[in-house]
Amino acid sequence: MSDALDAACRIWVIDQRVDASTFERLGDARELADAGADRVGVLIAGPHGDPAELIAAGADLVKIAEPAESADAGATRGSRAEAVRCGARARVSLAEAALAPQRPRVVLASGGPDGREWAARLALRRGWRLISPALRAELGRDGRLSVTALSACGRYARRATLGADETAVLTLKPGVAEALPRDPNRRGAVERIHSHAAFDEPTRVEREIPADPAVVDIRYADRIVAGGRGLGGADGFVLLAR
């Protein structure tokens, strides 16, 4: 079953860990696959939780890459406590080996720093077309892929069209795509990849430091709160700040 699904998967989601944005991109991937009568594959190179959740959210095949020494880790495998991740070079080699034989049509990566680096390196290595950051992708009846994306400055939208034989590597920021409702009756396959080579440059995350909201560029803010005359004066802005 895994081999049959693997050969048919041409829409892929790649990630270093499973979080809310993974399911968002998976929702878009499912819609693209349905429009083109394709299947959806997910490649996770790091903590992944329960692969069945990814299948319920739209995946047909889930590939889980783990260090070989974790093969017998039992129930703790893939938990959030396991913070060892592939390095950038290893992730590219892993994705290239897993995806290139399938000639993917679209690869959806995270819009975070790690995801953008992974997407750019993979696209350069394979000669695929990188569009980052993307907003939406649509398949036309003629098989051509239309991608709406932001310009480099982030102020303008642009549209790119790819031929039926081109592979697009897209990065999507959190909140851009939309997850689909979970369907517990969906069926799919799970493949675990245990390899020393894939994890030849592990890194350990000690903590993640969020951007200072006082200085962050508003284009990258998770949310923006604004007020005006309706607040009635300085006291209103104090309440708004809380």
Side-chain angles (χ1 to χ4, degrees):
M1 180 177 181
S2 174
D3 292 340
L5 284 173
D6 194 20
C9 289
R10 299 196 65 207
I11 310 296
W12 284 85
V13 173
I14 60 174
D15 222 329
Q16 303 87 269
R17 69 175 68 183
V18 174
D19 58 19
S21 69
T22 309
F23 289 96
E24 291 172 356
R25 279 175 280 127
L26 183 50
D28 275 21
R30 183 72 265 163
E31 291 186 357
L32 283 171
D34 290 344
D38 285 320
R39 294 183 181 269
V40 175
V42 178
L43 173 65
I44 305 296
H48 54 76
D50 184 1
E53 292 298 316
L54 293 169
I55 294 173
D60 296 300
L61 172 66
V62 179
K63 290 195 174 192
I64 303 295
E66 300 171 325
E69 56 270 22
S70 73
D72 299 321
T76 61
R77 180 176 56 196
S79 67
R80 293 189 65 84
E82 183 190 20
V84 176
R85 299 186 298 180
C86 283
R89 186 179 62 210
R91 288 198 305 271
V92 173
S93 297
L94 175 67
E96 186 175 27
L99 273 59
Q102 315 309 323
R103 300 183 62 189
R105 185 68 197 281
V106 181
V107 180
L108 302 174
S110 165
D114 286 344
R116 294 198 305 271
E117 180 182 20
W118 192 1
R121 288 190 179 205
L122 178 62
L124 180 61
R125 180 85 69 89
R126 297 302 308 170
W128 294 340
R129 188 165 173 182
L130 174 69
I131 302 179
S132 176
L135 299 175
R136 182 172 178 79
E138 298 174 288
L139 274 173
R141 293 182 179 180
D142 59 356
R144 297 173 70 86
L145 181 71
S146 178
V147 181
T148 303
L150 289 176
S151 62
C153 67
R155 297 179 180 179
Y156 309 103
R158 59 189 176 91
R159 184 179 293 272
T161 302
L162 291 80
D165 59 345
E166 290 186 89
T167 296
V169 181
L170 314 179
T171 69
L172 281 78
K173 296 180 180 180
V176 170
E178 185 175 355
L180 297 178
R182 182 180 179 277
D183 180 3
N185 296 316
R186 290 198 80 257
R187 295 292 180 264
V190 177
E191 177 185 337
R192 298 186 184 277
I193 306 171
H194 301 297
S195 170
H196 290 288
F199 284 76
D200 62 353
E201 46 177 347
T203 59
R204 183 171 298 277
V205 179
E206 298 294 337
R207 65 188 178 114
E208 295 183 357
I209 303 174
D212 182 351
V215 298
V216 68
D217 189 320
I218 63 172
R219 290 176 295 171
Y220 304 103
D222 291 333
R223 62 179 61 86
I224 298 174
V225 180
R229 185 177 299 177
L231 293 174
D235 291 342
F237 281 93
V238 172
L239 292 174
L240 183 65
R242 294 177 182 175

